[in-house]
Amino acid sequence: MYDYIDGKLAFKGAAHVVIDAGGVGYHINISLNTYSQLPEGERCKLFVWLHVKEDAHTLYGFASEGERRLFMHLISISGIGPNTGRMMLSSITPAEIQAAIVQGNVAAIQRIKGIGPKSAQRVILELQDKLKKEGPDTLTVMPGLKTAKDEALSALVMLGFVRNVAEKVLELEIAKNTGVLTVEQLIKSALKSL
């Protein structure tokens, strides 16, 4: 429903912030990682996720799109809800969580408060392949897709192809053609080779 909220930071606390956007104050729950990246009393932008329950609508905010994406992966696992996901992102950095999952480091995940051995194993089991497929730069913010190759690569990864394989196929397609290819032409020719 909401992608981000951009406005004046009216209140900043370790667990939540209030952002005044268009005269409406949005109460947004945040992780300590996001808290550490927020400015004091200035304009800020948080990527948000709305959790709808029978008795409450709760907003969760993230300093980056990558952090939100990791949060969404975490809460997709049975037994890990939004508050546990936020606790995980508050305990260690998103990059450390991702590295621990990709490397299968159960001990690092288990050190997070509220995560036992079975939950840590489930997190790794269910997310390891997904995070490997997305690649190591999934947490970095792309400053806007600038080239047709970048856009085509992003589309192929979203379709479920492994990033490294898709990138090699796109490079081959670009090398084959002397003219400038559009995003659509790149994707169509790559799909024939994948």
Side-chain angles (χ1 to χ4, degrees):
M1 181 176 194
Y2 300 109
D3 189 50
Y4 65 85
I5 295 178
D6 186 359
K8 184 181 183 301
L9 190 57
F11 172 80
K12 177 182 174 184
H16 78 277
V17 295
V18 176
I19 295 181
D20 181 349
V24 177
Y26 292 93
H27 180 282
I28 305 170
N29 293 303
I30 59 170
S31 67
L32 288 175
N33 177 64
T34 295
Y35 174 77
S36 67
Q37 297 179 42
L38 290 176
E40 278 296 332
E42 296 176 14
R43 186 175 187 89
C44 76
K45 175 181 180 179
L46 287 180
F47 295 91
V48 295
W49 176 72
L50 177 63
H51 184 224
V52 178
K53 294 190 304 186
E54 191 175 299
D55 59 342
H57 290 200
T58 310
L59 282 170
Y60 292 87
F62 309 94
S64 69
E65 174 63 37
E67 184 184 6
R68 178 173 64 180
R69 193 176 311 118
L70 181 59
F71 174 80
M72 298 304 290
H73 281 313
L74 292 171
I75 65 171
S76 71
I77 296 167
S78 174
I80 295 183
N83 284 325
T84 304
R86 183 171 64 143
M87 174 64 75
M88 292 176 77
L89 292 170
S90 294
S91 300
I92 58 177
T93 67
E96 290 169 336
I97 292 172
Q98 183 176 13
I101 292 169
V102 169
Q103 295 163 4
N105 188 345
V106 176
I109 303 293
Q110 194 175 331
R111 279 195 295 271
I112 299 169
K113 183 181 177 205
I115 302 294
K118 287 183 181 177
S119 293
Q121 289 170 348
R122 193 177 321 116
V123 166
I124 290 170
L125 180 69
E126 292 187 29
L127 294 182
Q128 193 172 39
D129 288 341
K130 285 182 189 175
L131 294 180
K132 279 181 182 176
K133 184 186 260 189
E134 288 181 4
D137 59 347
T138 187
L139 292 177
T140 59
V141 177
M142 296 180 109
L145 300 171
K146 295 184 176 145
T147 66
K149 179 188 169 200
D150 289 338
E151 289 189 40
L153 179 60
S154 177
L156 290 170
V157 169
M158 293 290 273
L159 289 172
F161 293 101
V162 178
R163 178 179 288 274
N164 299 345
V165 174
E167 197 163 16
K168 287 177 186 171
V169 169
L170 286 171
E171 286 170 5
L172 287 172
E173 293 301 325
I174 291 169
K176 274 194 240 175
N177 295 295
T178 55
V180 178
L181 295 172
T182 66
V183 176
E184 292 82 12
Q185 291 169 329
L186 270 173
I187 293 170
K188 285 179 182 176
S189 56
L191 285 173
K192 291 175 187 172
S193 302
L194 287 170

